[in-house]
Amino acid sequence: MVASDISTGLSGRPRVLGRTLASIGVGILVGALYDYAIAVAASAPVPGGFTTPPLTLALIAIVAALAVATAWRWPVVGLTAGIVVLGLVAFAVGGRIGWTPYGYDWWSPFNAVAFGAASGYPTIVGATMITSAALSLRRTHQPVGE
């Protein structure tokens, strides 16, 4: 018998499609989680005599760094998550969802989505996730020699 490296061309497709669909599903969950996490980090009642306390800025930076790392390491998940974050912000703006003031009900997911639309932090994180994922995809799919 002669061994061959030639594949039928169909053997890897179901596996790749399944992994891609799983990555998109995970991306939807990750996007919702990051939208909630960035809004909670930005609205947490942190004491301080500043307009935006340094601890709040540090929490926002940590969540943003994790979001970028996720988008860079798993680009399909990051791209989907970034789109979900921007979609949630657009939904909150379009629906004119209201949020309670600083320090009240800051753990509530509905308040987090509304606060995210008003603050802009999730928009920045979502756009950064999309950009990071796109750069990672471009880097990994470059033809040899470029």
Side-chain angles (χ1 to χ4, degrees), residues 89-121:
V89 169
F91 170 74
V93 169
R96 297 184 181 188
I97 298 174
W99 58 284
T100 56
Y102 177 79
Y104 297 101
D105 204 20
W106 59 283
W107 280 104
S108 167
F110 299 110
N111 194 47
V113 169
F115 177 80
S119 71
Y121 293 121

Side-chain angles (χ1 to χ4, degrees), residues 23 65-79 129 132-133 135-137 139-140:
S23 294
L66 288 172
V68 169
T70 300
W72 187 261
R73 175 66 177 97
W74 299 284
V76 175
V77 171
L79 185 64
M129 286 183 81
S132 178
L135 289 173
S136 179
L137 283 170
R139 179 186 60 90
T140 57

Side-chain angles (χ1 to χ4, degrees), residues 12-143:
R13 285 195 177 183
R15 193 173 1 178
V16 170
L17 181 63
R19 283 194 341 218
T20 302
L21 291 176
S23 294
I24 290 172
V26 170
I28 291 170
L29 295 174
V30 167
L33 176 69
Y34 275 125
D35 186 56
Y36 176 71
I38 195 72
V40 166
S43 65
V46 177
F50 301 96
T51 303
T52 305
L55 183 57
T56 299
L57 293 175
L59 290 172
I60 292 168
I62 289 168
V63 173
L66 288 172
V68 169
T70 300
W72 187 261
R73 175 66 177 97
W74 299 284
V76 175
V77 171
L79 185 64
T80 306
I83 291 169
V84 166
V85 169
L86 293 180
L88 286 171
V89 169
F91 170 74
V93 169
R96 297 184 181 188
I97 298 174
W99 58 284
T100 56
Y102 177 79
Y104 297 101
D105 204 20
W106 59 283
W107 280 104
S108 167
F110 299 110
N111 194 47
V113 169
F115 177 80
S119 71
Y121 293 121
T123 303
I124 294 169
V125 168
T128 305
M129 286 183 81
I130 290 171
T131 304
S132 178
L135 289 173
S136 179
L137 283 170
R138 185 173 190 279
R139 179 186 60 90
T140 57
H141 290 70
Q142 290 260 340

